[in-house]
Amino acid sequence: MIKKPLKDIPLRRIHIRDRFWDRYIHLVKEVLIPYQWDILNDRLEGVETSHCIQNFKIAAGEASGDFEGAVFQDTDVAKWLEAVAYVLEASSDDDLETLADETINLIGRAQCEDGYLNTYFTIKDPSLRWTNLKEGHELYTAGHMIEAAVAYYEATGKREFLNIMESFADLICQIFGPEDGKCHGYPGHQEIELALVKLYRVTKKQKYVELAKYFIEQRGTGENYFLEEEKRPEYKQIFPEFTGYDTKYSQSHIPVREQKTAEGHAVRAVYMYCAMADLAQIYGDEELLEVCQTLWSDMVRRRMYITGSIGSSGLLERFTTDYDLPNNCNYSETCASIGLALFGKRMTQITKDASYMDVVERALYNTVLSGIALDGRSFFYVNPLEVWPDNCIERTSKEHVKAVRQTWFGVACCPPNISRTLASMGQYIYFTDEDTLYINLYISGTVSAELAEGSVEFEVKSDLTNSGHIEIDVVKQENSASYNLAFRIPDYVKKYTLLRDGKEQTGCRLEKGYLYIGNITEGETKIVIDFEVPARFVRANPKVREDAGRVALAKGPLVYCLEEVDNGANLPAVFVNCNQELHEKYEENLFGGVTTIALRGMRLTDEKWQDDALYGERENVFQEVELKAVPYHCWNNRGAGEMLVWMKEWM
Amino acid sequence: MIKKPLKDIPLRRIHIRDRFWDRYIHLVKEVLIPYQWDILNDRLEGVETSHCIQNFKIAAGEASGDFEGAVFQDTDVAKWLEAVAYVLEASSDDDLETLADETINLIGRAQCEDGYLNTYFTIKDPSLRWTNLKEGHELYTAGHMIEAAVAYYEATGKREFLNIMESFADLICQIFGPEDGKCHGYPGHQEIELALVKLYRVTKKQKYVELAKYFIEQRGTGENYFLEEEKRPEYKQIFPEFTGYDTKYSQSHIPVREQKTAEGHAVRAVYMYCAMADLAQIYGDEELLEVCQTLWSDMVRRRMYITGSIGSSGLLERFTTDYDLPNNCNYSETCASIGLALFGKRMTQITKDASYMDVVERALYNTVLSGIALDGRSFFYVNPLEVWPDNCIERTSKEHVKAVRQTWFGVACCPPNISRTLASMGQYIYFTDEDTLYINLYISGTVSAELAEGSVEFEVKSDLTNSGHIEIDVVKQENSASYNLAFRIPDYVKKYTLLRDGKEQTGCRLEKGYLYIGNITEGETKIVIDFEVPARFVRANPKVREDAGRVALAKGPLVYCLEEVDNGANLPAVFVNCNQELHEKYEENLFGGVTTIALRGMRLTDEKWQDDALYGERENVFQEVELKAVPYHCWNNRGAGEMLVWMKEWM
């Protein structure tokens, strides 16, 4: 039976002060939010025009001109507002709040009388509303708007945005549903389902979660809605590349409960799985939870990169087939890893199984962070594991792979998604139930949690990515009853020690990846955990054809890579023997402080190929080389060059 | 200074009777030509409709209906007729000749009064003639028709087809050229250039070669013709995928003489290079010959697969960049290797350098033969070097890679191109100059050559692909003067012996890959050559990132591969140590008789992965395995399965 889920701790109660994470968290407020604001207002030169705010002004009748941008352009402002909400919840900022309030007011003015809100259809042709669910992204856009409104309400207590979106949600409830006369469609890009659950949770209005359930249950049943919709006279195609639509692309090929493999567009898939997990929990739906577990398992056991990225096809950002994980032409969209983290978080909360958080941590520390440059001003959509800049060109099938982060994108889904994820990182770190505080990620800072018998406040000092040494100080405890702490023991930790006020603890209960420390009472002051996190060689299941005979380097949650700037060009010609000691070094001045790994390798030279021949009966001539690996997420912060995660192994 | 080129021997003087080649050569007359005839007439079930003959009937006003098929559909009948011509030249066949004559007569009836001939434009909209050179393929189609007409004239002496095409060529000469008022365009797909040279050679009319020269010289000069053409009101787009046209695609980005790297669509490129070589020879144009040499060198030293295939991008069948040779997502079109062979043949004839023939042989024995099944009824366009059928699916970037040969294609360029190539194989085997017979390829059969002082007739018995033993018997000699034989010493032959009437010859002149045996006089009867052609490991230049740490197997001209049916699945998990003896075995009952190679390998097992994990710190566990390699061109004649050319090396 599905029990009460683990709860989030409000962001205002979590303060991150972490050597590894600070640079990223600070980026959100100091760089990303102002930078994105400038972009939304078309104030940045050399960056693709967003037109986002202008679209709202036009829709509000306060400016003239035509809609510009993608059909889901409104979501840029939604994700911006959601990130702003999380930032404001963590620390107030009057100027920023004023800016957000004004933006929300503009959104309200752009809303139609009946509650409808979408600048594309309002400006372009209101008669086309809901006629192209497959491509129109109206429900997707509404979903992001609702998420932002809920976040803003939770952060500030202000209802204006929530009211706007409730009114739109009410309209959507009138239009969609099982009843005769209503539209029996569902979103072409899932997102509103999880947003409606959030809206239900703050408003307690059952109809929102009912509609989310309807969208999920209706999907893939009977004649495919999107193929039927195409035949109607009012249907107008938006994306020519969707001709010959594959219903798997939007996970609408079969009913959701019958889906056993992760298929189609990866972001659509994981956003849908999030809603399925939410609904399984709310309705106590064991069957649906089992579907979630099956799909999760398919992803993380057969279709996920070591970096926690998913969607291995460069063509339409899709899942492909089991163990098909090419390293140099994958899509591995940053947003898909964000969705994977959102899904894994929910699964942990429902099942109290920390192994989901192993994957969440993998996705956040590697692919999500790879998505953003250390200066916060350029971004990767696509996160390859092997890059040779020379062939990431227009005339190969690798054009989608970029050898350098891009300043901004016309379809700007990833940058603002990274922004809202970093701003809400706190929600991945801790969960609570009545008497236990769960620590999932080891990120320094303070947290105060409300447990059943009172509140507690901790300070965490974590050096996870370097020494693995973690200290947890009880700062304040406002009750006399005892409570428990549950520490996630990461999958990569083979050995650890835990001291409780100086005494080593053994025999504690380890259940589904959480180590439970019971009976914490007033007066206890310190827990010290030492995770052994040496640099390690990791191999892939030999069924992953691309990685057979290769090894990757990792340390703690971080996957490492070789970069050309440290190791010269032609990284695929480098071989490493795994029977060697790895040398770690904390480099204060590299990427703002990072642990690098030194190792020895053998480089295949072209000594026997001085005649410039292409093929021949030549000997291999190797040269011993010193190699240096850096964390994957830091790659391409020192100019363009080759990068490689999976190194060839010297057998 | 460019001297007289080596000459072809007419096909009627060459009779192939070769254990290796017979099955393919016989296929042309016995299977391919009747099979293609049925297809041209839409008589085969389960095969895409060709509509080719029907189009000619409609254009002739003898049937009603609309044009169907590709814009260059007429070339299917052209290539069929060209193959028929070569077959008739080698051995007469009254029924086949009657069928060809009737088809030619139909073509004549479909010709417009002014000489214009192209069923697409004649049926669809004659007013659009020459308005879309980029996509319309009118000149390309005319080129194939001219090639067929020349071949048919040479085979039968009949002028009807030649007259038809001369009349069209005359019209083209009126329309295109440097003069004011003429169209200053050039073909979107090169082909007519080399055809006009052939037409010039049989008719001796200078204007044809002048127009070929104009097309070559005009290409890529000034404002790009194709981009200019698009702007005209009469321009109508045919292929939507050509939006945002890249002029490199058709080698029109810069003037031909400035081109230093092989760029764009591979077939277009090599057809153009053929014409450039022809023109260099005819006009004694050293500069143009040097351009040909530079482009050849770029292809075969940096952009060619070990199988002699070119065009490594799955996207638009293009060249990409130096050393970018992915094995599992390449295009490597069969037609491009045919074009490479045509180009190499011309270069040998001009330069008397046999090294071009090394590449020609590589292309013919591997990629061209891989293009056709052993039963002659299915075909590969795309010739990958590594196939995992599971991921050659719609949702990867490898959809173009087919794990099984296809029965026929809508765009049927490759099958009839293979057909005409096999039917004209003789022209690759021998060349002559005044006093020397050049033997390029070692294919059994008889040849009679006209040399300056009389004719000679030989019988060749070659076992090149197995023992390397070759016997050349002088059958007849109709003069008393002496002459020379030149034997190509293939690049893969490290040791050989040559016996002349039983006595070993040493100290013969070896020049540019040809071994010259002088003063052959009446009464000499036998030359015996033993090439050492043991199975061998071949490596790639380490700059080819995809092949670093890998080896391929070859024997004589043949590249070998592993197939799943012999070696189990997951071939990328197999490693081979190159310090081992290779065991060859002639298998009478496999593929109609073929030499296979047995070797030992180590297979990475999933013993440590029984928990179905995807990544982990697991040991490699290997199992010793016996491997069997078969010639690459034979792959996929025993059902679908994995295939691999470049095996991982055990270092």
Side-chain angles (χ1 to χ4, degrees), chain B residues 155-323:
Chain B
T156 64
K158 293 180 180 169
R159 289 204 63 103
E160 182 181 1
F161 198 7
L162 195 65
N163 289 340
I164 292 169
M165 294 317 302
E166 265 202 80
S167 139
F168 190 20
D170 291 344
L171 177 69
I172 293 170
C173 286
Q174 282 168 35
I175 289 176
F176 293 89
E179 296 86 356
D180 281 351
K182 287 193 177 181
C183 173
H184 299 158
Y186 37 83
H189 191 317
Q190 302 91 317
E191 152 64 29
I192 196 170
E193 300 88 336
L194 72 89
L196 286 168
V197 170
K198 286 186 174 184
L199 190 61
Y200 154 75
R201 285 185 170 140
V202 294
T203 65
K204 313 284 181 227
K205 292 186 185 162
Q206 188 72 18
K207 65 175 174 180
Y208 299 140
V209 69
E210 289 290 334
L211 184 61
K213 186 167 184 288
Y214 174 74
F215 280 146
I216 292 293
E217 301 289 1
Q218 179 68 5
R219 197 167 201 89
T221 59
E223 296 294 316
N224 187 277
Y225 184 81
F226 304 126
L227 300 182
E228 293 301 303
E229 174 187 68
E230 278 181 357
K231 298 174 193 162
R232 298 202 193 112
E234 64 272 23
Y235 178 82
K236 263 179 84 172
Q237 193 175 21
I238 298 170
F239 299 105
E241 62 266 38
F242 278 0
T243 310
Y245 190 71
D246 175 7
T247 57
K248 260 190 185 169
Y249 176 73
S250 56
Q251 299 79 37
S252 61
H253 54 302
I254 48 172
V256 161
R257 285 172 196 270
E258 294 171 21
Q259 298 188 18
K260 306 230 179 306
T261 56
E263 298 293 347
H265 185 253
V267 176
R268 283 170 167 78
V270 283
Y271 282 8
M272 178 175 83
Y273 303 159
C274 285
M276 287 159 60
D278 285 339
L279 294 168
Q281 183 272 311
I282 292 168
Y283 289 94
D285 187 335
E286 301 275 355
E287 184 193 80
L288 194 57
L289 184 64
E290 211 173 290
V291 175
C292 289
Q293 284 163 329
T294 300
L295 291 167
W296 174 270
S297 205
D298 183 55
M299 279 196 293
V300 307
R301 289 182 172 272
R302 288 178 287 279
R303 301 184 178 200
M304 180 186 74
Y305 286 91
I306 189 173
T307 50
S309 71
I310 50 174
S312 63
S313 173
L315 216 65
L316 295 177
E317 308 143 10
R318 284 178 296 193
F319 288 102
T320 61
T321 190
D322 288 346
Y323 304 109

Side-chain angles (χ1 to χ4, degrees), chain A residues 33 49 194 234 272 304 320 329 357 420 481 544 577 618:
Chain A
I33 286 180
T49 306
L194 74 87
E234 64 272 23
M272 178 175 83
M304 179 186 74
T320 63
C329 61
M357 291 308 294
R420 68 171 186 144
V544 183
N577 189 324
R618 317 281 168 104

Side-chain angles (χ1 to χ4, degrees), chain A residues 617, chain B residues 465-466 532-538 552-556 558 560 580-585 595-599 629:
Chain A
E617 290 170 78
Chain B
T465 58
N466 187 39
E532 284 195 11
V533 284
R536 63 192 192 275
F537 286 110
V538 180
L553 273 173
K555 175 180 163 56
L558 298 176
Y560 277 65
Q580 66 170 296
E581 223 177 296
L582 297 169
H583 299 278
E584 301 173 29
K585 184 178 169 190
T595 304
T596 61
I597 303 171
L599 69 163

Side-chain angles (χ1 to χ4, degrees), chain A residues 304 539 545 615 618 642, chain B residues 304 539 545 615 618:
Chain A
M304 179 186 74
R539 295 195 177 92
R545 281 153 174 77
Y615 305 106
R618 317 281 168 104
E642 289 185 42
Chain B
M304 180 186 74
R539 294 196 177 91
R545 281 150 173 79
Y615 304 106
R618 318 280 168 106

Side-chain angles (χ1 to χ4, degrees), chain B residues 365-481:
Chain B
Y365 275 77
N366 296 290
T367 300
V368 176
L369 289 188
S370 164
I372 180 169
L374 286 170
D375 68 0
R377 288 168 196 279
S378 59
F379 309 89
F380 280 134
Y381 261 53
V382 171
N383 294 283
L385 279 76
E386 177 170 347
V387 171
W388 176 33
D390 282 15
N391 81 352
C392 300
I393 51 176
E394 184 264 334
R395 55 195 183 278
T396 66
S397 302
K398 300 179 186 75
E399 195 191 351
H400 60 285
V401 179
K402 304 297 177 199
V404 289
R405 288 183 183 80
Q406 311 288 295
T407 48
W408 199 257
F409 295 81
V411 178
C413 70
C414 297
N417 217 354
I418 295 170
S419 181
R420 70 172 185 143
T421 303
L422 290 174
S424 60
M425 268 303 293
Q427 296 198 331
Y428 296 95
I429 307 178
Y430 307 104
F431 300 141
T432 60
D433 61 15
E434 294 204 346
D435 56 5
T436 307
L437 174 71
Y438 292 79
I439 303 186
N440 303 302
L441 303 183
Y442 294 91
I443 296 177
S444 304
T446 59
V447 59
S448 73
E450 294 286 348
L451 300 174
E453 311 253 343
S455 74
V456 288
E457 195 177 324
F458 292 89
E459 181 171 4
V460 176
K461 291 179 202 143
S462 167
D463 191 31
L464 178 70
T465 58
N466 187 39
S467 66
H469 182 75
I470 292 141
E471 299 187 5
I472 295 112
D473 286 296
V474 182
V475 177
K476 220 160 71 187
Q477 187 156 340
E478 289 181 350
N479 69 340
S480 53

Side-chain angles (χ1 to χ4, degrees), chain A residues 301 304 313 315 320 324 391 395 539 541-542 545 570 611-616 618 620 642 648 651, chain B residues 301 304 313 315 320 324 391 395-396 539 541-542 545 548 570 611-616 618 620 642 651:
Chain A
R301 288 181 173 271
M304 179 186 74
S313 174
L315 216 64
T320 63
D324 179 44
N391 81 352
R395 56 196 183 277
R539 295 195 177 92
N541 189 314
R545 281 153 174 77
N570 201 357
D611 60 350
D612 203 21
L614 195 48
Y615 305 106
R618 317 281 168 104
N620 284 333
E642 289 185 42
K648 291 198 178 105
M651 297 296 181
Chain B
R301 289 182 172 272
M304 180 186 74
S313 173
L315 216 65
T320 61
D324 179 45
N391 81 352
R395 55 195 183 278
T396 66
R539 294 196 177 91
N541 189 315
R545 281 150 173 79
N570 201 357
D611 61 350
D612 204 21
L614 195 49
Y615 304 106
R618 318 280 168 106
N620 284 333
E642 289 184 41
M651 296 295 180

Side-chain angles (χ1 to χ4, degrees), chain A residues 38-97:
Chain A
D38 284 342
I39 287 163
L40 294 174
N41 286 279
D42 306 324
R43 284 186 201 144
L44 273 195
E45 284 195 25
V47 158
E48 276 192 67
T49 306
S50 155
H51 214 254
C52 198
I53 293 295
Q54 189 66 11
N55 287 336
F56 279 96
K57 287 185 182 159
I58 296 167
E62 298 164 14
S64 60
D66 200 4
F67 176 93
E68 280 179 35
V71 61
F72 45 81
Q73 202 74 1
D74 291 358
T75 60
D76 271 13
V77 81
K79 289 185 208 160
W80 182 81
L81 279 166
E82 190 181 344
V84 166
Y86 298 140
V87 164
L88 291 178
E89 186 171 348
S91 64
S92 65
D93 180 325
D94 291 346
D95 290 348
L96 185 58
E97 192 165 331

